[in-house]
Amino acid sequence: KAGVTQTPRYLIKTRGQQVTLSCSPISGHRSVSWYQQTPGQGLQFLFEYFSETQRNKGNFPGRFSGRQFSNSRSEMNVSTLELGDSALYLCASSLVGARGRNYGYTFGSGTRLTVV
Amino acid sequence: AQTVTQSQPEMSVQEAETVTLSCTYDTSESDYYLFWYKQPPSRQMILVIRQEAYKQQNATENRFSVNFQKAAKSFSLKISDSQLGDAAMYFCAYRSTGLSGGGADGLTFGKGTHLIIQP
């Protein structure tokens, strides 16, 4: 069974540019969430999608956005990049059962974004 | 908002011995999930163990077990017979079920504990 696939693995961008990161969940997983990991702030929740709808969003500026497609694949976009956006971006998919019970998140290997 | 606290930034244990990693959390909800994740240098987050708050029984996965104290809001991880491959950052995480109407804001993570295994 294929795991969660994130592309690209590494990315270097210049301040002011925009970037799109991709995440393909495990087959059958309809919930996808995104996290930012930095040495200073640790792991922070960005947003969560289920069946193409954003269910929740963390405390990040509007420059951070995402979407989910009908095949459950998800993308996140960061516009007008700042130096502080340099981080490891992790995507996780989960199987959601009856009454929304969550059976645990499986993470991808992440995209390392460096803004220069 | 929920918070998760891991008070041990770093722990060291001899190979084959037992180590316990601490985690406390703060929430006003009664139904939620707790997780321990492992992140080795390869940076892939790996689910170690999962606990549902409504279950009294502590979760166990092979050499990994938890001590879940709901009233004390404590969720410690015990690793028995430590192996070199257990060396990693360990993160404790909380997630609301969202069933109480307050929504479920993804996973809330602690700052992590760096576990060193001494050969």
Side-chain angles (χ1 to χ4, degrees):
Chain A
K1 193 174 186 180
V4 179
T5 304
Q6 288 189 248
T7 55
R9 288 287 305 258
Y10 300 92
L11 206 49
I12 300 176
K13 289 286 188 178
T14 304
R15 267 184 306 175
Q17 287 186 313
Q18 75 164 20
V19 66
T20 299
L21 312 181
S22 178
C23 172
S24 293
I26 289 174
S27 178
H29 286 195
R30 293 160 63 192
S31 175
V32 174
S33 52
W34 290 87
Y35 297 83
Q36 181 196 64
Q37 186 176 24
T38 60
Q41 298 297 318
L43 284 147
Q44 294 184 284
F45 169 69
L46 279 157
F47 24 66
E48 183 170 44
Y49 288 88
F50 182 80
S51 293
E52 303 180 65
T53 301
Q54 185 179 92
R55 297 179 70 184
N56 293 290
K57 184 172 166 52
N59 190 24
F60 278 82
R63 298 184 298 106
F64 291 81
S65 63
R67 59 178 174 168
Q68 186 180 32
F69 302 96
S70 59
N71 62 357
S72 294
R73 190 178 71 85
S74 178
E75 290 181 346
M76 69 162 280
N77 184 277
V78 188
S79 63
T80 319
L81 284 165
E82 301 177 359
L83 295 179
D85 297 334
S86 294
L88 178 66
Y89 290 88
L90 292 165
C91 165
S93 75
S94 61
L95 183 64
V96 179
R99 295 190 72 229
R101 297 217 76 84
N102 188 293
Y103 295 94
Y105 293 82
T106 302
F107 282 81
S109 296
T111 295
R112 172 78 66 189
L113 172 65
T114 302
V115 182
V116 296
Chain B
Q2 295 81 14
T3 58
V4 177
T5 302
Q6 293 179 251
S7 58
Q8 306 150 316
E10 187 172 279
M11 293 279 284
S12 182
V13 64
Q14 291 289 130
E15 196 176 1
E17 294 191 344
T18 295
V19 64
T20 298
L21 308 185
S22 301
C23 173
T24 58
Y25 57 94
D26 187 27
T27 183
S28 58
E29 301 193 343
S30 59
D31 196 12
Y32 47 86
Y33 308 99
L34 294 165
F35 305 89
W36 277 100
Y37 278 91
K38 166 186 176 181
Q39 187 178 39
S42 67
R43 81 193 193 196
Q44 174 108 40
M45 295 281 279
I46 301 164
L47 177 63
V48 175
I49 207 161
R50 169 183 173 271
Q51 176 84 40
E52 294 189 68
Y54 76 92
K55 291 185 176 178
Q56 300 282 352
Q57 188 174 9
N58 289 323
T60 299
E61 288 288 343
N62 302 312
R63 297 182 295 107
F64 299 86
S65 62
V66 296
N67 183 6
F68 174 47
Q69 300 289 328
K70 191 173 183 180
K73 296 179 184 174
S74 171
F75 184 60
S76 60
L77 174 70
K78 185 172 85 171
I79 305 174
S80 304
D81 185 26
S82 298
Q83 300 175 359
L84 294 177
D86 295 334
M89 283 293 290
Y90 284 80
F91 293 95
C92 178
Y94 168 103
R95 187 187 190 277
S96 166
T97 61
L99 297 175
S100 59
D105 298 326
L107 288 167
T108 299
F109 286 92
K111 293 292 188 186
T113 295
H114 181 210
L115 180 63
I116 298 167
I117 311 294
Q118 305 279 4

